[in-house]
């Protein structure tokens, strides 16, 4: 079986075609309205949909998250990266990434969700992170991925689904999700994987070495000195 690891891949034509398939992507307002991505206020209730994230990490959510998770992720990521995290009020439209189980899909399309976050990236933001409790998989023959990112583009996504497989405490779940998020954000900053024989303790160790919640728990939550230098420069 294929385990969901910390995969990254460059933008490909297939990702753009997937996002162009109807239904069209939209912001989800708390009032229930679906609003075009070009709007910053909901026309129905006048609530803000997008907050200014210049110089910050922009955090988007797909579907409902259990209480306290978003706030805990916001605090932990801000501390780890030494920069503000802006939680966006609009939800990400759930329809584009949905895939039918009858066609062999075990979750939502990770590539489409990633493309949706890439669309929401704003100039001046350090990066945009999508967070969901839905299972994510890049293809129908995969079981899951923990996270996915575009290399050197400011968009990445993380799923809590597989990280929650053994019903951990909320503190442990957040710890796992933060490690995955930092790894994927490393890709957005241009970092690739370390070789398996490099002998370094770093969040950018390659996919095959981090293929279960046990290996996520066992790894540290820090970048090596070289990677930390790149992250610090890009996160200014």
């Amino acid at each position: 079986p294929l385990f969901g690891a910390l995969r990254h891949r460059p933008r490909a034509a297939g990702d753009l075609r997937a996002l162009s398939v109807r239904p069209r992507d939209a912001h989800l307002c708390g009032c229930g309205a679906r609003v075009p991505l070009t709007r910053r206020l909901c026309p129905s209730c006048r609530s803000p949909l997008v907050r200014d994230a210049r110089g910050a990490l922009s955090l988007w959510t797909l579907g409902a998250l259990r209480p306290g998770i978003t706030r805990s992720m916001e605090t932990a990521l801000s501390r780890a990266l030494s920069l503000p995290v802006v939680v966006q009020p609009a939800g990400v439209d759930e329809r584009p990434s949905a895939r039918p189980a009858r066609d062999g899909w075990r979750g939502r399309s990770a590539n489409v969700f990633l493309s949706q976050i890439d669309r929401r990236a704003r100039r001046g933001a350090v990066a945009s992170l999508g967070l969901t409790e839905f299972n994510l998989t890049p293809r129908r023959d995969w079981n899951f991925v923990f996270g996915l990112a575009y290399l050197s583009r400011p968009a990445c996504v993380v799923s809590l689904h597989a990280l929650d497989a053994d019903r951990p405490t909320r503190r442990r779940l957040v710890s796992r999700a933060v490690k995955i998020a930092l790894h994927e954000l490393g890709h957005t900053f241009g970092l690739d994987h370390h070789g398996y024989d490099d002998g370094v303790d770093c969040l950018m160790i390659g996919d095959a070495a981090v293929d279960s919640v046990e290996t996520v728990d066992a790894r540290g939550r820090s970048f090596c000195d070289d990677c930390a230098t790149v992250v610090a420069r890009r996160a200014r």
Side-chain angles (χ1 to χ4, degrees), residues 49-71:
L49 298 167
V50 182
R51 293 196 176 106
D52 187 359
R54 283 175 290 186
L57 173 65
S58 187
L59 179 60
W60 299 86
T61 58
L62 174 70
L65 270 64
R66 69 197 73 181
I69 289 291
T70 303
R71 177 61 178 167

Side-chain angles (χ1 to χ4, degrees), residues 195-232:
Y196 305 131
D197 299 324
D198 284 359
V200 296
D201 182 15
C202 181
L203 280 167
M204 299 312 296
I205 291 174
D207 294 352
V210 188
D211 60 2
S212 67
V213 292
E214 290 79 15
T215 52
V216 174
D217 288 340
R219 75 186 308 179
R221 211 161 99 173
S222 302
F223 294 100
C224 68
D225 290 345
D226 289 342
C227 289
T229 299
V230 173
V231 171

Side-chain angles (χ1 to χ4, degrees), residues 94-138:
E94 300 175 20
R95 299 171 301 167
S97 63
R99 291 295 182 270
R102 66 178 181 273
D103 290 344
W105 285 84
R106 297 174 176 86
R108 290 173 178 267
S109 170
N111 294 322
V112 172
F113 182 30
L114 179 58
S115 295
Q116 289 180 279
I117 299 304
D118 192 45
R119 272 191 162 192
R120 287 161 171 77
R122 295 290 187 270
R123 182 174 298 176
V126 173
S128 293
L129 168 67
L131 185 64
T132 187
E133 297 218 25
F134 289 121
N135 190 38
L136 296 177
T137 177

Side-chain angles (χ1 to χ4, degrees), residues 154-191:
C156 61
V157 296
V158 172
S159 169
L160 301 178
H161 184 84
L163 297 173
D164 191 42
D166 58 348
R167 299 294 183 264
T169 63
R170 188 177 75 177
R171 182 175 181 178
R172 178 163 296 222
L173 177 62
V174 170
S175 176
R176 291 171 178 175
V178 168
K179 291 177 184 180
I180 304 302
L182 291 173
H183 176 103
E184 302 302 345
L185 286 165
H187 287 317
T188 73
F189 298 146
L191 296 175

